[in-house]
Amino acid sequence: MVKLGVVDYRVGNVGSVFNALRRVNADPHLIKDINDLSNVDAIILPGVGSFNAAVVNLVNSGIAEELNRFRGSVPILGICLGLQLMFRGSDEGKLSGLGWYGEWVRRINGPRVPHIGWGYVKVNGECGLAPTQGYYYFMHSYAVANPTPSKPYIGITKYGNSTILSILCDDNKLTYGTQFHPEKSSKLGLSILRSFISITKR
């Protein structure tokens, strides 16, 4: 069984992620400090909390430094906030993100903020994550806006006046992300988690 480390930002509940991972035959473990990262097969940055609080926890715990070291050798999946943390920074906070990608996370411009509910994800390329176009469940106020629809930004979603990055797929770096919540997205969401597990088993 795949041992997945789910990072604890200490600001939210990761129960739904754990439940979904168990449904796809993964073995989730909560990561609170760098010692918990030993012997994990892959890492998930879940979608709970605020940008600043998550950055503070990642830095103070030493996990941010370890993520930089693991990237490219261990599959990493960012969900919602977890995806946003991979970028330079966010309108939500004043602290820098991990800086793996150069874009900035902006407050979305839509009919209702936060954006809560189902949204259509258009897939523009191929990916080891094997995403399928269709409706996924979103719950967010911030996102990478107006991404260029090419690798690694293969999934986009329209919401009001915003075009947002909804799937990131960087196979070479074993780095993946979804702005939506796969653990709340029924069969399509579970298929993404299964694909992430398949990547981990390679």
Side-chain angles (χ1 to χ4, degrees):
M1 185 177 290
V2 173
K3 183 178 179 180
L4 289 178
V6 181
V7 176
D8 180 12
Y9 307 131
R10 299 178 185 171
V11 290
N13 186 349
V14 295
S16 59
V17 174
F18 267 57
N19 290 338
L21 291 173
R22 290 182 178 122
R23 288 181 65 187
V24 295
N25 297 317
D27 181 22
H29 293 260
L30 202 60
I31 304 299
K32 293 185 176 181
D33 58 45
I34 58 175
N35 296 320
D36 296 328
L37 284 167
S38 61
N39 300 318
V40 296
D41 300 309
I43 299 168
I44 291 181
L45 301 174
V48 294
S50 67
F51 192 91
N52 268 7
V55 170
V56 167
N57 178 263
L58 289 177
V59 172
N60 290 347
S61 64
I63 293 175
E65 184 176 350
E66 289 298 288
L67 289 173
N68 289 326
R69 186 171 69 84
F70 282 140
R71 187 180 176 226
S73 60
V74 172
I76 299 174
L77 171 65
I79 296 173
C80 195
L81 173 64
L83 168 65
Q84 296 170 16
L85 290 167
M86 297 177 180
F87 291 85
R88 286 190 301 118
S90 171
D91 286 349
E92 187 180 13
K94 296 182 179 179
L95 300 178
S96 298
L98 293 167
W100 295 346
Y101 303 97
E103 283 75 5
W104 192 267
V105 178
R106 306 287 183 187
R107 184 172 173 83
I108 58 176
N109 181 9
R112 289 181 301 277
V113 179
H115 170 205
I116 299 176
W118 297 86
Y120 187 79
V121 175
K122 179 180 180 181
V123 178
N124 297 299
E126 302 207 352
C127 172
L129 205 60
T132 300
Q133 294 193 149
Y135 287 89
Y136 294 83
Y137 192 83
F138 289 80
M139 188 167 56
H140 65 115
S141 299
Y142 298 86
V144 174
N146 302 316
T148 301
S150 61
K151 275 281 194 175
Y153 309 147
I154 70 160
I156 58 172
T157 296
K158 297 278 190 181
Y159 183 64
N161 295 322
S162 295
T163 299
I164 63 174
L165 172 64
S166 49
I167 300 176
L168 181 147
C169 184
D170 192 345
D171 291 317
N172 292 334
K173 291 290 186 179
L174 294 175
T175 305
Y176 306 90
T178 64
Q179 182 58 63
F180 54 84
H181 289 261
E183 77 278 11
K184 297 178 182 291
S185 297
S186 192
K187 292 181 179 179
L188 285 183
L190 291 179
S191 72
I192 286 197
L193 296 179
R194 288 192 184 96
S195 294
F196 184 65
I197 290 171
S198 296
I199 292 167
T200 302
K201 289 179 176 178
R202 290 176 189 169

